[in-house]
Amino acid sequence: MKFSVFHTPELTPIQNAADCAIAIDVLRATSTIVTALSAGADAVHVFSDMEKLVHESESVLPEKRLRAGERGGSKVAGCDLGNSPLDCTPELMGGKQLFISTTNGTRALQKIQASPSVLAAALINRHAVVDYLVEHQPEAVWIVGAGWEGSFALEDTVCAGAIVQSVADRLGCSLEELVGNDETVGAVALYQRWQDDLLGLLHHASHGKRLLRLHCLEDLKYCSTLDTLNVLPIQSEIGTLVKHA
């Protein structure tokens, strides 16, 4: 396996050469997607455009769907939910289809949706992602961070580093054998520095600070924990993620 990390969708090559592509938006889209599927959602449909989300969701009975929309960290008017994984309770999610659009994370997923295998990763499901990679060992793996409006994000990069480091540990190989670009080296170095204080790192992150101003400390605490959910969202069809069996 060779890992290439891209900090934002904008920095991801147009020509998709990945055998497996992984989208990361720790704060908070992929954390929310993982949690929703863990809580019993049947599927998560991702959109970058809210109007398209509303239109597509009309095909599902109101009692079987939930609409989640977030822009700038806040819930979009008219949606059932914003983008907090803490809202994804079994009582709410069980048997539902979640239609979600966020500022950054859903754009990352759409950037890689043509890949043969598309996964959603966060710190909370790092172990499940690594299990899949170790089992299938795709040759070229792209990890695409959501970033924030086109800019680098600490939280997505540290998650990428956590995944690559764990794969190296599981396979008993050197990092040199896994590194596909310079960004991967930087991601692993960031994780090695902050692995014992991931919440502290999220406090330094610009989007972490933004969420703290919105009184979302509990979201930061939740999203900074490693390996709490053994759930892997995998694309079943373009734009739709389900729980990997």
Side-chain angles (χ1 to χ4, degrees):
M1 276 185 287
K2 288 288 185 182
F3 288 86
S4 296
V5 173
F6 303 100
H7 294 311
T8 68
E10 291 80 5
L11 292 172
T12 305
I14 295 174
Q15 188 66 36
N16 194 326
D19 298 300
C20 175
I22 304 169
I24 297 176
D25 184 11
V26 170
L27 297 176
R28 294 166 288 175
T30 54
S31 296
T32 297
I33 290 167
V34 171
T35 306
L37 291 173
S38 176
D42 288 341
V44 179
H45 309 276
V46 298
F47 298 86
S48 56
D49 180 81
M50 279 301 306
E51 288 187 13
K52 187 174 182 182
L53 180 155
V54 172
H55 175 73
E56 293 292 331
S57 64
E58 288 292 339
S59 63
V60 177
L61 291 173
E63 62 270 21
K64 289 293 185 180
R65 73 176 184 231
L66 290 167
R67 293 168 174 162
E70 171 266 321
R71 292 293 183 270
S74 299
K75 185 175 84 167
V76 173
C79 288
D80 303 299
L81 302 166
N83 187 25
S84 173
L86 301 181
D87 291 336
C88 298
T89 62
E91 295 78 16
L92 188 61
M93 291 290 153
K96 301 287 181 60
Q97 295 193 48
L98 178 63
F99 294 79
I100 185 170
S101 178
T102 70
T103 305
N104 304 292
T106 48
R107 290 172 50 252
L109 280 160
Q110 290 197 324
K111 183 71 175 186
I112 59 174
Q113 64 186 8
S115 300
S117 177
V118 175
L119 312 176
L123 292 168
I124 58 174
N125 76 325
R126 187 268 307 260
H127 184 79
V129 174
V130 172
D131 279 349
Y132 179 93
L133 294 171
V134 169
E135 178 183 351
H136 296 276
Q137 299 202 26
E139 185 175 346
V141 182
W142 285 9
I143 304 179
V144 177
W148 176 262
E149 296 185 345
S151 298
F152 170 91
L154 284 169
E155 65 275 8
D156 298 336
T157 304
V158 79
C159 183
I163 291 168
V164 178
Q165 180 67 66
S166 184
V167 169
D169 293 342
R170 288 276 297 279
L171 294 178
C173 64
S174 68
L175 287 170
E176 185 177 3
E177 295 174 70
L178 298 176
V179 168
N181 66 356
D182 287 357
E183 290 89 336
T184 304
V185 178
V188 172
L190 184 68
Y191 173 67
Q192 290 174 341
R193 164 63 180 83
W194 288 95
Q195 59 186 309
D196 296 324
D197 188 17
L198 292 169
L199 179 58
L201 178 65
L202 266 57
H203 274 79
H204 285 290
S206 60
H207 192 36
K209 293 177 180 178
R210 191 175 294 108
L211 290 173
L212 286 172
R213 290 194 294 270
L214 294 170
H215 310 291
C216 295
L217 174 60
E218 294 306 313
D219 280 52
L220 258 65
K221 290 179 179 178
Y222 179 87
C223 294
S224 67
T225 56
L226 270 175
D227 306 331
T228 53
L229 294 178
N230 189 28
V231 171
L232 178 63
I234 189 166
Q235 184 173 262
S236 59
E237 58 184 81
I238 297 294
T240 298
L241 296 161
V242 297
K243 187 177 178 180
H244 181 58

